[in-house]
Structures are given as C-alpha cells and as structure tokens.
Amino acid sequence: AALIAQGCTTLTYTSQRHAADVSECIAAGWKGVASSGVEVPVSLTKENDDYLIDVVLARDFPTFLPIHSIWAKVRPMGPQKDAGSSTEYRRNFQITHERIDRVVKECQ
C-alpha cells in the first residue's frame, strides 16, 4: 500500500483560455479543495509569460525548504491573447487526488 501512495503523475492539457485565466482558476480551485473546509496553502507566481501554481504540503528535513508536491505550470500557446494556453500539471502522490485533478481539468 505504501508504494501506491508514492510515485508521481504529470499530465498536460491545452486550452482555448488565456494562461492568466487558467492559472487564476486553478489557484482559486485548489485553495478550496480540502474537504475539511480549511484553505489550502496555494501560491501563484508569474515569471515572464509563464504562471506557476503550487501547493506546499510539507517541508524537507533538515533544511525545512518547501517540498512542492502539487504544481501546475501554465504557458501561453502564442503571442496573441486568444492563442490559448498549455498546462503541465504534476502531483507527487497517488491517493486522494480526484478533487485537485478535477480543478485542473475544469479550468481548461
């Protein structure tokens, strides 16, 4: 069972929506994904034209640097705003991921 919980998945999506819209949608959706009602710690940063959305669920020991277990990188498909975007989505675990997966899909 421990092996099922380990591992990672990377998925790629394309969208007709602008990268900024997709990334804001993912960030907002991930914040409210916890069934407990607690807001999930989500960050959204922009570097050049790329957007990175990530969730820090743990910290490394002994460095205490963040471990980014869930992240998505959203990039524009072209220079025009109506060219759409692509999303690379990665998670480092295999159980209880349906809600975060659904957010990424629905935001496309």
Side-chain angles (χ1 to χ4, degrees):
L3 291 176
I4 293 173
Q6 301 298 320
C8 59
T9 298
T10 302
L11 303 170
T12 304
Y13 298 95
T14 58
S15 174
Q16 296 300 313
R17 296 178 66 191
H18 187 268
D21 296 336
V22 173
S23 61
E24 289 170 6
C25 178
I26 293 170
W30 282 357
K31 284 182 183 179
V33 81
S35 58
S36 65
V38 173
E39 189 172 290
V40 176
V42 176
S43 70
L44 170 60
T45 55
K46 182 180 180 194
E47 185 174 314
N48 300 319
D49 290 332
D50 297 348
Y51 297 84
L52 178 66
I53 311 99
D54 64 347
V55 177
V56 178
L57 296 178
R59 299 227 174 237
D60 182 41
F61 184 81
T63 66
F64 297 101
L65 294 172
I67 298 171
H68 301 282
S69 298
I70 305 166
W71 59 263
K73 184 178 285 187
V74 185
R75 295 183 165 134
M77 296 282 279
Q80 301 86 8
K81 285 194 172 242
D82 60 352
S85 60
S86 67
T87 302
E88 180 182 0
Y89 162 52
R90 183 170 178 103
R91 59 179 155 72
N92 291 335
F93 58 92
Q94 299 297 318
I95 53 177
T96 67
H97 58 80
E98 294 84 9
R99 290 180 182 179
I100 58 174
D101 290 355
R102 186 172 40 246
V103 168
V104 176
K105 284 182 183 179
E106 291 175 354
C107 287
Q108 304 305 306

